Each structure stands twice: as structure tokens, then as C-alpha cells.
Amino acid sequence: MHQSRLVGKVLAAAFLAVPVIAQAQLGPYQFHALTPCRLVDTRTVNATQGTTGSPFNRGATSFRIQGQCGVPVNAKAATVNATIVAPQTAGHVTMWPVGVSEPTVSTLNFVANEPALANGAIVPLGPDGGGVDDLNVRLSMQNFNPNVGTPNTHFVLDVTGY
């Protein structure tokens, strides 16, 4: 076989053996999977998470995501699994980054008396402010009667990547 043809075949074979990087991986954002890690569980007492073992309060609460569970402080978004446990009334959960307006869409909708309901989401994170919370979560309870007492609704938030 002619030497130049042999060199060409060797180069072609070597080129085919090199893995091709997907175009999406060349962009400014790359996904990093994490072993699922519990960030928030209102059923337990945890001073770091700011949970007291009490049901999740209606209204907006902020949680620190960056720098927790392997999510670096410069992460732009996180993949999470949000779970509502034992809601007494129907409602929804909305998540959005600190520093921006609350969106009009919800992350998780639930009805009364479900044992637990979860939904995965990709949520943008607010800028790292040196320990400032970077994710807002609002629990909105529908048909809530304040004369009946506080609903026994717990919230669990697991991170699965960034």
C-alpha cells in the first residue's frame, strides 16, 4: 500500500477514536450531578438549615443553596426535588432566586390530605452575597382558615446537581 494512503487511514482511524464533545458541553454553563443531598427538612431540627421541626410557615422563606451539599458558591442554578408532606389544605410552592421578582408559575401544586407530593425543578440561584440566602421559596395555602390554626404542612428540599 502506498505510504501516504496508509498514513491517511491511520489518521482517520485515530480521529474516529477520539470522543466527540457535545456542543452543549462547550457553552458557558455545564451540569454537574450530585449525590442527592437533603438541604431542608422542616420535620427535623437543624440550626444550619434554620429548621425547627415545625411545619413550614405560609409565606416566603429563603434558603442558602450555594456552598451547601456540594453546590459551589458560584453556581448559577441548582436541580432540586421539592416535596410537600401532609398538607391540610390545597396550595402550591413557588421557587425563585433571591434578588428578582416572584414568578407567576408554581413549582409544585398539591391538594389537601396527600401524604407527600414531590416535583423536580431546575431553579436559578441569586448571586452569592457572602452568606446571603440565594433561593426564595413561597408556600401558598388555598382555602386556609386562620381560625382553624396553622396547617401541618412540612417541606423537604433535596439538591441533585448544579
Side-chain angles (χ1 to χ4, degrees), residues 25-42:
Q25 292 177 336
L26 298 176
Y29 302 110
Q30 296 181 2
F31 176 73
H32 301 275
L34 295 171
T35 300
C37 179
R38 182 129 311 154
L39 285 167
V40 175
D41 188 343
T42 63

Side-chain angles (χ1 to χ4, degrees), residues 10 17 43 46 64 66 100 109 130 138 162:
V10 169
R43 299 171 297 178
N46 187 317
R64 179 104 172 106
Q66 297 168 335
V100 301
N109 299 300
R138 179 182 299 278
Y162 63 93

